[in-house]
Amino acid sequence: AAPVTAVPHATAAEIIPWLPLETRWPSLSPNPLSLRQYGGFWIPEVMLKSGFAAANSCLEPRPSDVFLSSFPKSGTTWLKALAFATLKRSTHPPSEGNHPLRHCNPHDCIKFLELDLSAGELEALPSPRVVSTHLPYSLLPDNVTKEGSGCRIVYVCRDPKDVLVSFWLFMRRASPSPRVAAQSFTIQEAFELFCQGRCVCGPQWLHVLQYWEASVRRPDSVLFLRYEEMLCEPESHLKKLAEFMSCGFSEEEEEAGVVSAIVELCSLGKLKEMGVNRNGVNIRGTKNEAYFRKGAAGDWSNHMTLEMAQRLDRIVEDALQGTGFTF
Ligand code: A3P
């Protein structure tokens, strides 16, 4: 069986061709989307090959490091915006006309560990470093998760049905030139693969479970947030996030409306309106607008049948039985 922790680069490159392969998802780039089953998860080959293996061998964690973790389509973009605006508020108050979030997509403000950053670029980031990742907890570099590293991890989780629908619609919207493959890929095809856990970083429920268990074991190091709860009470969640990142809001700031100003700046409606998010493309060639859609809880019901929902719910319930975690 494949090891459950990240391995040094050379070993990863050697073993990739031997790992189980899934190629049925349409690709958004000229290269096919190849998922490999590694450590119990279906990880894009590109993530296995480059960033994560390299980061594992080179990453020197700093106690002030913050990792923003998520399963794709669970609120990553929102979490990045909130964390960035919160950490940078002394140099960039949310009211600033030229605030970076008004001219940069949140993914350009906080980069992905396994996709966007070379070891040198990571090392060059000023403290406190904030990076994001879609890697499962068990595949994070050991020196990040080990006791005493001081690194903090914020995880955002979302209902798997909304994650699936969001992912399926993202694929159709994100391609620089809409591809026939993505356009004709049906929700039923996506659903079958998702139910088998054969999707980017899937099975989604095991991804969530690992982070939830880590948050129970090490609450000072892992903050577990739920997208649906954040939608209901964004301000209280932002305050919790700030406290966790050691930059809690002062009473004066709260009275001056800084918390609500950050929530407003990072709201879906506001970010969606920014020119960069309407017209821009990120470093991987994905249209920024594809990251902002409806931002609702329960939108799955507009795209999946009740029967599909019940089947997925049952799969998830069975897999989580006895763990103490429920969505
Ligand atoms: P929907 O497709 O359900 O609308 P990720 O950022 O992990 O890729 O997740 C994308 C989902 O988060 C999309 O969900 C998107 O609309 C939603 N989203 C993006 N920005 C958001 C924000 N500022 N507030 C709330 N939801 C947001």
Side-chain angles (χ1 to χ4, degrees):
V4 289
T5 52
V7 294
H9 195 191
T11 318
E14 278 161 22
I15 64 167
I16 284 171
W18 303 99
L19 298 172
L21 177 65
E22 175 55 69
T23 56
R24 281 175 285 179
W25 290 93
S27 174
L28 298 177
S29 79
N31 304 319
L33 175 57
S34 302
L35 306 179
R36 294 280 185 176
Q37 194 181 30
Y38 180 75
F41 291 90
W42 290 92
I43 310 289
E45 249 184 36
V46 59
M47 271 164 74
L48 278 179
K49 268 188 195 150
S50 58
F52 124 70
N56 187 44
S57 50
C58 308
L59 181 70
E60 275 298 329
R62 301 176 197 160
S64 55
D65 285 346
V66 177
F67 292 83
L68 306 179
S69 301
S70 58
F71 190 87
K73 303 301 134 202
S74 301
T76 321
T77 316
W78 190 17
L79 182 61
K80 285 189 183 193
L82 290 171
F84 180 84
T86 301
L87 280 162
K88 301 285 179 193
R89 67 191 189 268
S90 59
T91 41
H92 297 294
S95 56
E96 188 183 52
N98 197 28
H99 192 284
L101 284 171
R102 298 187 202 277
H103 53 83
C104 294
N105 177 264
H107 293 283
D108 293 333
C109 298
I110 296 181
K111 306 258 172 74
F112 279 105
L113 174 70
E114 64 275 11
L115 293 173
D116 304 330
L117 289 164
S118 69
E121 286 166 335
L122 193 60
E123 199 48 47
L125 288 177
S127 297
R129 294 185 298 191
V130 189
V131 295
S132 71
T133 182
H134 285 322
L135 287 172
Y137 185 82
S138 57
L139 295 182
L140 288 178
D142 288 342
N143 46 6
V144 169
T145 51
K146 76 171 179 230
E147 206 66 51
S149 75
C151 300
R152 274 154 300 171
I153 299 170
V154 182
Y155 187 76
V156 59
C157 125
R158 192 180 188 189
D159 181 302
K161 301 185 289 304
D162 283 333
V163 168
L164 164 62
V165 163
S166 182
F167 193 86
W168 176 66
L169 292 170
F170 173 80
M171 278 184 350
R172 300 162 72 93
R173 294 152 50 90
S175 176
S177 53
R179 278 160 189 276
V180 178
Q183 297 306 316
S184 61
F185 192 67
T186 65
I187 183 75
Q188 282 79 15
E189 289 172 283
F191 176 78
E192 290 303 331
L193 291 170
F194 191 89
C195 284
Q196 294 167 39
R198 289 170 168 261
C199 53
V200 174
C201 296
Q204 184 261 0
W205 44 95
L206 295 187
H207 197 281
V208 173
L209 178 66
Q210 283 193 344
Y211 279 97
W212 178 77
E213 286 178 340
S215 77
V216 172
R217 274 197 316 274
R218 308 170 59 216
D220 294 338
S221 307
V222 185
L223 176 67
F224 187 89
L225 302 173
R226 290 175 186 259
Y227 180 81
E228 296 78 8
E229 292 177 1
M230 288 170 66
L231 284 178
C232 292
E233 291 185 346
E235 291 196 13
S236 68
H237 283 85
L238 181 59
K239 287 195 256 178
K240 207 194 268 187
L241 173 66
E243 286 288 333
F244 183 77
M245 297 192 301
S246 305
C247 59
F249 294 100
S250 66
E251 260 177 47
E252 295 75 43
E253 284 184 306
E254 287 198 36
E255 275 161 24
V258 177
V259 178
S260 51
I262 291 179
V263 165
E264 173 69 7
L265 172 67
C266 300
S267 66
L268 181 64
K270 271 280 169 320
L271 292 180
K272 221 176 180 172
E273 278 170 17
M274 317 272 181
V276 64
N277 294 327
R278 276 190 281 130
N279 310 312
V281 169
N282 74 12
I283 46 174
R284 273 167 274 119
T286 311
K287 289 183 204 163
N288 288 338
E289 65 171 359
Y291 291 94
F292 307 95
R293 196 182 61 92
K294 212 168 185 178
D299 187 45
W300 60 264
S301 63
N302 295 313
H303 302 276
M304 278 164 67
T305 64
L306 199 56
E307 198 183 31
M308 289 161 88
Q310 286 169 344
R311 196 176 129 206
L312 179 52
D313 282 344
R314 232 181 353 262
I315 290 170
V316 173
E317 269 170 40
D318 287 351
L320 295 177
Q321 213 174 14
T323 63
F325 178 77
T326 49
F327 278 97

